[in-house]
Amino acid sequence: MTRFIDVPTMSKLVYDIGVPRFIGELADTIRDDFRQWPDFDKSARVANHSDIGVIELMPVSNAERYAFKYVNGHPNNYQKGMPTVMAFGVLADVDTGYPVLLSELTVATALRTCATSLMAARALARPDSKRMALIGNGAQSEFQALAFHAHLGINEIAVYDVDPAATEKFIRNMAEYTSLKIIRCNSTAEAVRGADIVTTVTADKTYATIITPDMLEPGMHINGVGGDCPGKTELHADVMKAGRIFVEYEPQTRIEGDIQQLPADHPTVDLWKVLAGIEEGRQSPEQITIFDSVGFALEDYSVLRYVYQQALLRGVGVDIELVPDSDDPKDLFRYTRGGRSRARMRRAA
């Protein structure tokens, strides 16, 4: 049987664990999997682009498990009352191909994205970082803020969005975290001034220059999250040239990340090598570091693995007959006769 986790179940799971703890444990899970990077069969995601969005499949596997995520990115979906990003994923046994988990990944992707940002910042940002600028206050913003506040010691966040309603939403959602000081700003330049970490999480599918060279300060860590497909950027090309750039999976980032603006031979550092102790991360307190994050399938593998473990541990979700569960696997024709199959959906014990 396949364990099924829908949105209400994921919501309950996150609530029961607690958002800060969920993010922290997930960041550790992603880090552990990145350190095993050579053990995974990897490829860039398969993307179908249109003028208004993209739909992607993101596969990855090791010797034990195979995972994939279906995900879209449609910046104008909010006008239709729909999320910009929607996703689901599958975790399967490599030995048999049997799907052990079918899960929503819209909520979980938001959590794994901020957990990945946290993992990178732990390795790259100055350890005394206290102030973050958060540019883009949409669906990902609260997750990023909470990750950095709860686990990296950020106690002051300067926020800006071209949509004032998005900023209002962010401030409203973060009101319970009274130990975090939030500063509403009137421009990107105002928000990033004096920031130790700059996080960009904008959604428009356009060649944008949210961060420009005049905004840079020595020692900044830039967490570029919003640039994640061809034709979509957030950082000016000269910003990229001014810093040491770290990437998840370089062949994919060259196509989708902010480095799509740079020559193909512009140097980058594989983040997994920093996490594994093979490469240096930040080389000096004054150095500008840039995490050109586009999201990679291994992170989805990690969140599916973590969710599956927690679902079994806590007895949440339902078991469904996603594939035939028969006492005669050679008799598939029996499923054309309209009767109930032997196995039935049942709530997990």
Side-chain angles (χ1 to χ4, degrees):
M1 301 293 283
T2 303
R3 185 61 57 99
F4 175 54
I5 306 292
D6 61 4
V7 173
T9 305
M10 183 66 75
S11 177
K12 182 179 185 306
L13 182 62
V14 173
Y15 180 81
D16 288 347
I17 294 172
V19 179
R21 178 182 169 188
F22 193 107
I23 292 171
E25 291 181 351
L26 183 53
D28 291 342
T29 301
I30 298 171
R31 177 204 61 204
D32 292 345
D33 288 336
F34 263 64
R35 287 174 174 171
Q36 303 302 316
W37 186 270
D39 295 338
F40 286 88
D41 184 8
K42 300 168 290 291
S43 63
R45 53 186 154 208
V46 180
N48 285 53
H49 293 276
S50 68
D51 292 338
I52 58 174
V54 62
I55 297 175
E56 301 167 329
L57 289 177
M58 302 173 64
V60 72
S61 66
N62 61 10
E64 296 179 359
R65 299 288 198 194
Y66 170 93
F68 80 82
K69 180 170 77 173
Y70 166 99
V71 62
N72 78 302
H74 287 73
N76 294 325
N77 267 5
Y78 75 95
Q79 298 173 354
K80 304 174 184 178
M82 301 170 66
T84 297
V85 175
M86 297 173 283
F88 67 88
V90 168
L91 187 67
D93 279 326
V94 166
D95 285 348
T96 63
Y98 196 92
V100 297
L101 176 69
L102 171 63
S103 177
E104 85 80 35
L105 283 184
T106 305
V107 176
T109 291
L111 289 155
R112 77 85 156 126
T113 299
C114 75
T116 302
S117 297
L118 170 64
M119 174 188 71
R122 281 172 166 169
L124 304 175
R126 297 196 317 270
D128 60 347
S129 297
K130 298 299 180 185
R131 178 185 173 107
M132 182 167 83
L134 185 57
I135 312 303
N137 303 153
Q140 176 62 203
S141 59
E142 293 91 350
F143 297 94
Q144 292 282 336
L146 189 53
F148 282 76
H149 176 54
H151 298 287
L152 206 68
I154 293 296
N155 55 30
E156 187 173 287
I157 296 185
V159 299
Y160 174 70
D161 195 298
V162 294
D163 178 10
T167 302
E168 289 289 346
K169 177 268 308 178
F170 171 82
I171 292 174
R172 185 170 61 252
N173 284 341
M174 297 302 294
E176 65 183 277
Y177 301 100
T178 56
S179 59
L180 176 62
K181 181 180 180 181
I182 298 174
I183 304 168
R184 186 202 305 264
C185 298
N186 296 313
S187 68
T188 298
E190 181 186 349
V192 303
R193 193 174 301 125
D196 302 304
I197 297 172
V198 174
T199 294
T200 55
V201 280
T202 61
D204 286 345
K205 187 178 180 182
T206 182
Y207 283 115
T209 52
I210 308 298
I211 306 298
T212 52
D214 57 295
M215 300 177 189
L216 296 178
E217 297 180 15
M220 269 185 174
H221 172 64
I222 299 175
N223 179 36
V225 180
D228 58 2
C229 68
K232 183 181 178 186
T233 63
E234 294 181 311
L235 311 179
H236 191 284
D238 289 340
V239 169
M240 304 300 292
K241 295 173 185 176
R244 183 167 166 85
I245 303 170
F246 300 83
V247 300
E248 292 141 309
Y249 183 59
E250 192 260 355
Q252 179 174 300
T253 310
R254 289 285 178 191
I255 298 170
E256 301 177 349
D258 278 276
I259 61 170
Q260 65 186 272
Q261 306 170 81
L262 303 181
D265 60 351
H266 190 91
T268 63
V269 180
D270 292 330
L271 181 60
W272 77 266
K273 292 182 179 179
V274 177
L275 298 171
I278 299 171
E279 290 270 5
E280 277 188 295
R282 171 175 292 275
Q283 297 170 315
S284 73
E286 297 77 25
Q287 187 174 52
I288 293 170
T289 54
I290 302 168
F291 178 38
D292 191 2
S293 176
V294 298
F296 185 60
L298 184 52
E299 297 149 21
D300 302 305
Y301 166 91
S302 299
V303 72
L304 287 165
R305 180 167 77 84
Y306 176 74
V307 166
Y308 186 55
Q309 290 172 345
Q310 292 297 322
L312 295 182
L313 178 66
R314 297 168 183 273
V316 299
V318 295
D319 289 332
I320 60 172
E321 193 175 356
L322 186 63
V323 296
D325 185 9
S326 171
D327 52 7
D328 185 359
K330 293 186 177 182
D331 184 6
L332 197 60
F333 191 72
R334 65 186 292 180
Y335 293 94
T336 67
R337 295 189 173 122
R340 293 296 300 271
S341 60
R342 179 171 60 85
R344 302 183 179 189
M345 180 185 292
R346 55 181 178 270
R347 184 67 53 179

